[in-house]
Amino acid sequence: SYELTQPPSVSVSPGQTARITCSGDALPKQFANWYQQRPGQAPVVVIYKDTEKPSGIPERFSGSSSGTTATLTISGVQAEDEADYYCQSSDYMGKYPWVFGAGTKLTVL
Amino acid sequence: EVQLVESGGGVVRPGESLRLSCVASGFTFGEYGMSWVRQVPGKGLEWVSGINWNGKSTGYTDSVEGRFTISRDNAKNSLFLEMNSLRVDDTALYFCVRVGQDESNNNWFDPWGQGVLVTVSS
């Protein structure tokens, strides 16, 4: 079955830039979406279709993709950005099944 | 405001059944695909099942194929997940999610409900 690979954890100091990667063989052809989940809360989409940002998501969040790796970048990290981040995609033309990465815990030092 | 409210969770024994419901409001339910995503407490997200806008296309993750059935009632703005032959490893928080989609069939999940807890234990 298709898999998306994320680092288990990323740590940055406030004001620094955090980069969270997501690797998958189909990512050259399929978009990646990114979700933020704070403790005790439901996930929220922060980036969809590799680079698109929903309204209400702060400017410091951005996404990119190159080859088999998609990247979520948070510039000028704030304490409130400490959360779990999940990438999500599919392996063929958006068809089922849809897959999540295992998640990355972002710690703001 | 778009809202998704799940219900139907609870504690059941292995082998038993449960039906989850999700009532949507704040958008035209019949125009969107929907999905269920689950999360074992303290663990990651797992996509479980999806259904297109008219109910004619459905999909399941391998571990629930043949045991779970997703359905919808557009007249009642409702999504369902019928779960049979439940196993201990089905224990999780189940989220109802709306599927955003563009003209090229790219999909994303937005928004998410708050989730309903299903516990399977002997």
Side-chain angles (χ1 to χ4, degrees):
Chain A
S1 61
Y2 185 51
E3 292 187 357
L4 297 171
T5 302
Q6 299 181 235
S9 62
V10 168
S11 299
V12 296
S13 299
Q16 289 190 329
T17 296
R19 294 181 179 85
I20 300 173
T21 58
C22 173
S23 298
D25 289 342
L27 290 180
K29 297 182 178 179
Q30 298 301 312
F31 287 119
N33 307 310
W34 291 93
Y35 304 89
Q36 176 195 65
Q37 186 179 32
R38 294 189 174 110
Q41 297 186 16
V44 172
V45 62
V46 292
I47 295 290
Y48 65 100
K49 289 173 58 177
D50 285 349
T51 61
E52 300 294 318
K53 191 158 46 188
S55 61
I57 301 302
E59 287 295 317
R60 61 183 180 274
F61 286 85
S62 65
S64 62
S65 187
S66 178
T68 59
T69 301
T71 302
L72 173 68
T73 301
I74 310 172
S75 304
V77 166
Q78 300 183 6
E80 67 194 50
D81 300 330
E82 185 162 291
D84 294 322
Y85 292 85
Y86 296 90
C87 64
Q88 175 259 320
S89 187
S90 68
D91 67 349
Y92 180 66
M93 291 186 63
K95 293 191 179 296
Y96 304 128
W98 296 331
V99 177
F100 287 93
T104 299
K105 170 66 176 177
L106 175 65
T107 300
V108 182
L109 301 170
Chain B
E1 179 192 7
V2 175
Q3 275 199 318
L4 300 170
V5 179
E6 304 95 336
S7 62
V11 181
V12 296
R13 298 192 186 282
E16 293 185 342
S17 299
L18 210 54
R19 189 192 198 208
L20 303 184
S21 299
C22 169
V23 176
S25 60
F27 65 101
T28 305
F29 180 72
E31 292 182 352
Y32 287 85
M34 300 292 293
S35 269
W36 291 97
V37 175
R38 68 185 178 184
Q39 185 173 36
V40 175
K43 302 297 184 182
L45 301 172
E46 180 185 27
W47 177 80
V48 174
S49 181
I51 189 168
N52 76 330
W53 64 276
N54 62 6
K56 293 188 183 303
S57 175
T58 60
Y60 303 89
T61 192
D62 287 348
S63 64
V64 308
E65 183 86 54
R67 298 189 300 121
F68 290 11
T69 302
I70 191 171
S71 62
R72 64 189 298 159
D73 184 341
N74 287 347
K76 296 183 178 179
N77 292 340
S78 295
L79 175 72
F80 307 101
L81 186 67
E82 188 75 38
M83 303 185 295
N84 298 321
S85 303
L86 281 162
R87 310 189 304 216
V88 171
D89 61 359
D90 293 318
T91 295
L93 187 64
Y94 284 73
F95 294 100
C96 170
V97 298
R98 186 180 72 174
V99 179
Q101 187 177 65
D102 66 10
E103 61 281 354
S104 299
N105 208 34
N106 299 299
N107 305 286
W108 58 95
F109 302 135
D110 179 44
W112 298 56
Q114 286 303 306
V116 60
L117 185 61
V118 172
T119 303
V120 185
S121 175
S122 55

